[in-house]
Amino acid sequence: MGEKYFIQGNIACAEAAVIAGCRFFAAYPITPASEIGERLSELLPAVGGKFIQMEDEIASINAVIGASWAGAKAMTATSGPGFSLMQEGIGYAFMTETPCVIVVVQRVGPATGQASKGAQGNFYQSRWGTHGDYSAIVLAPNSVQEMFDLTIKAFNYAEEYRTPVILLADELTAHIFEPLEVPEKIEIKERKVAVDYSEPFFDSKDPLKAPPMPRLGIGLNVLVTGSTHNEWGYRATSDPMIHRKLVTRLYYKIEGNAKKICEYELDINDGSKIGIISYGCSSRSAYGAIEILSEHGLKISHLRLKTLWPFPDWAVKELSSKVDTIIVPELSLGQLVREVERASYDKTKIISLTKVGGGELIRPQEIVEIVRRL
Amino acid sequence: MKHYAIKYLREEVIPTPFCSGCGNGMVINALFKALTELGYEDLRNFVFCSGIGCAAWIPSPHFKADTIHTLHGRAIPVATGIKMMRPELNVIVISGDGDLAGIGLSHLIHAARRKLGIKVIMVNNMIYGMTGGQVSPTTPRGIKTTTTPYGNIEKPLDVASIMATMKVPYVAKWTTYHMMPLKNSLKKIINTDKFSFIEVISQCPTNYGRNLGFRKPFEMLKWFKENSIPISKAKNMKEEELEGKIIVGEYLNQIE
Ligand SMILES: Cc1ncc(C[n+]2csc(CCOP(=O)(O)OP(=O)(O)O)c2C)c(N)n1
Ligand code: SF4
């Protein structure tokens, strides 16, 4: 048994980052993510790491990119408005294969919206926020324990696949206080570092693997550019083949590993005709509803996503093959539901349960009501 | 014997893609002379960060060194991340006026406030060269550009003066006409570990020169020469007399 704590989600995230090996954090304060930076400003100097509050979120993501090339595991944390500002940098990190972690604590938007109120309106932005063809790894915790566990995972995926990874939390998960158990054994992935020219820095024979990453300052004359580049980083801004090769490799490096990256809880109850698909804070509402309904003898199946992107189509299909109806509760005007509609079989009826504003969560009773009316 | 600059260049990417007569080549020349005089055999402990633009192509991919070609305007934050994690490296930012004084100005100001030991070389051709000659925050008043067809009505930003006001330990401004003093200034910032800033007024014959009616690059150099005033002399001159002049020299030197 590991050590137990009773802490806030954002603090669990900060603690996990240090355990995962994070040694650089740059951010700009924003509710409801600020506690992560506050905690790391305390923790990082003690372990030889660096903390910096930058002038804005654009600077933050770019400083993270610089630190990552300097050899550090690096992270930033923000919320909607800051996430919007970071998008160009996220595309750069993807294109240059720069491992880094971006924590996004979702709040009510658009624009400044309702700063301290939780929401789930960044589902699609987390996947398609930057321009061009790319893929994204996005993890979604639903508890303090998962703020911890998935922060570690985010670093591991970032290093393994040499790519930015987004931890898409929400205000509830970030601010709630809950028990946390720090596991005794935690798997930490280290970066595969290039020390010579035996393998190109920007290509890989195995399309499912990231190339080793060189570190600055060791005499390798590393060329990094966000423009289209060949396997050694030389710009090639009009060659169609080089561009196609690069972006398809970067894309399949993630999509081809979807089965490995995707984590979810699929709880299929034999004989149940109704399913729920949820993530983050709304999954807690789903659990509540399932409990109420089971007390009344109604069995419900549930798919709870921990990885949002790549999207686990196959898991949705599996649920869809077992039930007649899928309810999708979410704190947006309907984002996750569109993916569910896309990935499920036509015969399955999809019901969208949406709510936005004020940080009001979906009440379990609201899900129960929908089930009752079916 | 090989040319002294070859040791700093990736031979496979020369010649550079710059237009003939572009000032970027002269900046490279001054920098390599400075490095050679300081005895650097290679660029091993250097990291060059640049943004987007013609000037940003000075190091990337031409320098045989670690080079990071960042997003437009973001060379300084990237350099900040690098320098914080690897303080022993000589981190040099080379970019254009649009990159550093337009889209990236706030980063420059904050870097000047933080005074982390990165060095910034701003190649100021007073225009957006790469995108075809639009007005820049440093374009002088009255100049016609592709986005100021009736002449620029805005006052240009004097970035070196801002840096000096912020007490940046080393601030200098030269033009590509002033190759020797430019080289000497470059030597100083290469050798210091303090935040420093050099502005180089440079010629873009393709997109700027033609707007001024200069057909040949050397005509622009001649114009730089005739319109430059040493900072020591400028101190005793009135604002009206200095309108349109380039004040050259060391604005601040606290590193020696
Ligand atoms: C975010 C963003 N906006 C606009 C551009 C287009 N752009 C590329 S270079 C450039 C201007 C470069 O001007 P400057 O920094 O002065 O460099 P020069 O080409 O004159 O050397 C612009 C606006 C871009 N690449 N990214
Ligand atoms: S457009 Fe101007 S700045 Fe760009 S390479 Fe040509 S001359 Fe130089």
Side-chain angles (χ1 to χ4, degrees), chain A residues 66-233:
Chain A
S68 186
W69 277 98
K73 288 187 181 178
M75 180 169 103
T76 182
T78 189
S79 184
F83 190 42
S84 293
L85 286 180
M86 284 183 189
Q87 291 303 331
E88 194 192 14
I90 291 168
Y92 184 90
F94 176 80
M95 189 71 155
T96 53
E97 297 179 79
T98 307
C100 56
V101 173
I102 300 116
V103 181
V104 181
V105 182
Q106 296 181 88
R107 68 186 225 188
V108 174
T112 319
Q114 295 179 317
S116 61
K117 305 299 180 194
Q120 295 183 304
N122 300 47
F123 174 78
Y124 276 123
Q125 187 188 26
S126 71
R127 170 62 185 82
W128 275 286
T130 198
H131 54 280
D133 297 293
Y134 76 112
S135 185
I137 300 180
V138 181
L139 310 180
N142 83 338
S143 62
V144 169
Q145 185 67 47
E146 281 190 1
M147 282 296 274
F148 184 93
D149 297 342
L150 295 188
T151 298
I152 305 259
K153 274 245 151 73
F155 275 98
N156 286 350
Y157 286 152
E159 296 299 333
E160 179 166 5
Y161 299 111
R162 245 185 93 177
T163 196
V165 174
I166 290 158
L167 185 81
L168 194 68
D170 51 62
E171 190 274 336
L172 175 95
T173 328
H175 278 162
I176 201 169
F177 279 74
E178 277 180 347
L180 163 72
E181 185 176 332
V182 176
E184 262 170 33
K185 274 194 101 157
I186 298 175
E187 194 202 359
I188 309 284
K189 284 244 158 81
E190 295 307 333
R191 189 173 297 182
K192 203 168 125 207
V193 180
V195 288
D196 56 26
Y197 299 113
S198 58
E199 286 177 72
F201 305 154
F202 300 99
D203 197 8
S204 167
K205 274 201 212 92
D206 181 347
L208 293 176
K209 289 214 162 87
M213 183 174 173
R215 199 168 76 124
L216 301 178
I218 58 166
L220 286 176
N221 300 331
V222 187
L223 259 177
V224 185
T225 178
S227 301
T228 297
H229 48 273
N230 72 9
E231 68 271 31
W232 291 107

Side-chain angles (χ1 to χ4, degrees), chain A residues 55 92 216-217 222 225 234, chain B residues 10 12 66-67 69 86 114:
Chain A
E55 51 273 22
Y92 184 90
L216 301 178
V222 187
T225 178
Y234 288 88
Chain B
R10 294 176 192 270
E12 65 275 21
D66 288 337
T67 58
H69 181 235
R86 301 291 304 279
R114 289 191 186 104

